[in-house]
């Protein structure tokens, strides 16, 4: 499915029931937006692993602006601010009030930006294999270089993302828009739950928490 929002077209897919029977009444399940990595990847690789969560939530997968099946547009528009705003625009398009975000890798950057820009639209935040600052690129490069395990370490910033043209733009996107997101969340007094989820082990580790995330 596609939604025309904010002068672009966002591809999305929905998995699982939003309303489920509970005795003689129907109850709402939480809606979990799943944000993929990149920049340049798409949501498809997450579907097999995230599918079991439909037992407890309705999942909304989407491709970020410029990625996957969404409209590419101009590369100058592929920013964290736009990607986060696109998520909120899709939330409104679907007629939802507050959503839970699951962000992995670059999707974790977008999720944190969303929490900063649209806190009233967020009921929960789950981060997987991501970081609160673009500096993770330089830090990882230094660590790998010290161990000598990978001669390709000097090319690490170019290894982010999917398509080659998007890999080249990824470091710029993160440098321009991805600084100290977690610090910003703390300054704003974020009151949702924030957790790190391990897809392989199926475990959730609390980071900054007002409620415990059970996944």
């Amino acid at each position: 499915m596609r939604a025309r929002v904010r002068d672009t077209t966002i591809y999305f897919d929905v998995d699982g029931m939003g309303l489920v029977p509970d005795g003689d009444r129907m109850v709402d399940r939480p809606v979990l937006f799943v944000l993929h990595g990149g920049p340049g990847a798409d949501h498809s690789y997450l579907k097999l692993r995230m599918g079991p969560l439909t037992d407890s939530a309705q999942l909304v997968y989407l491709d970020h602006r410029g990625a996957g099946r969404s409209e590419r547009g101009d590369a100058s528009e592929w920013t964290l601010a736009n990607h986060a705003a696109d998520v909120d625009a899709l939330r409104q398009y679907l007629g939802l009030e507050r959503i839970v975000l699951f962000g992995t890798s670059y999707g974790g950057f977008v999720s944190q930006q969303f929490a900063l820009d649209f806190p009233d639209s967020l009921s929960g935040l789950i981060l997987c294999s991501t970081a609160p600052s673009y500096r993770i690129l330089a830090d990882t490069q230094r660590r790998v270089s010290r161990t000598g395990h990978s001669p390709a370490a000097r090319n690490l910033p170019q290894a982010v993302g999917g398509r080659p043209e998007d890999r080249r733009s990824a470091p710029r996107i993160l440098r321009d828009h991805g600084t100290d997101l977690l610090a910003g969340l703390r300054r704003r007094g974020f009151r949702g739950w924030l957790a790190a989820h391990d897809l392989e082990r199926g475990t959730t580790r609390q980071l900054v928490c007002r409620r415990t995330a059970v996944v």
Side-chain angles (χ1 to χ4, degrees), residues 19-97:
L19 278 173
V20 293
D22 181 17
D24 58 355
R25 65 191 182 102
M26 299 294 287
V27 296
D28 289 305
R29 277 184 171 166
V31 180
L32 177 68
F33 276 47
V34 181
L35 305 188
H36 65 80
D42 65 23
H43 76 280
S44 58
Y45 71 97
L46 289 167
K47 279 188 168 175
L48 288 177
R49 291 178 175 179
M50 299 295 292
L53 292 182
T54 56
D55 290 342
S56 54
Q58 184 178 58
L59 307 185
V60 176
Y61 299 93
L62 62 96
D63 291 341
H64 301 304
R65 170 193 302 243
R69 295 164 182 81
S70 290
E71 185 177 328
R72 289 188 62 79
D74 190 274
S76 65
E77 300 297 319
W78 304 344
T79 66
L80 280 177
N82 270 335
H83 288 151
D86 291 343
V87 173
D88 194 61
L90 182 60
R91 175 195 65 81
Q92 295 179 60
Y93 179 90
L94 295 175
L96 302 170
E97 292 186 8

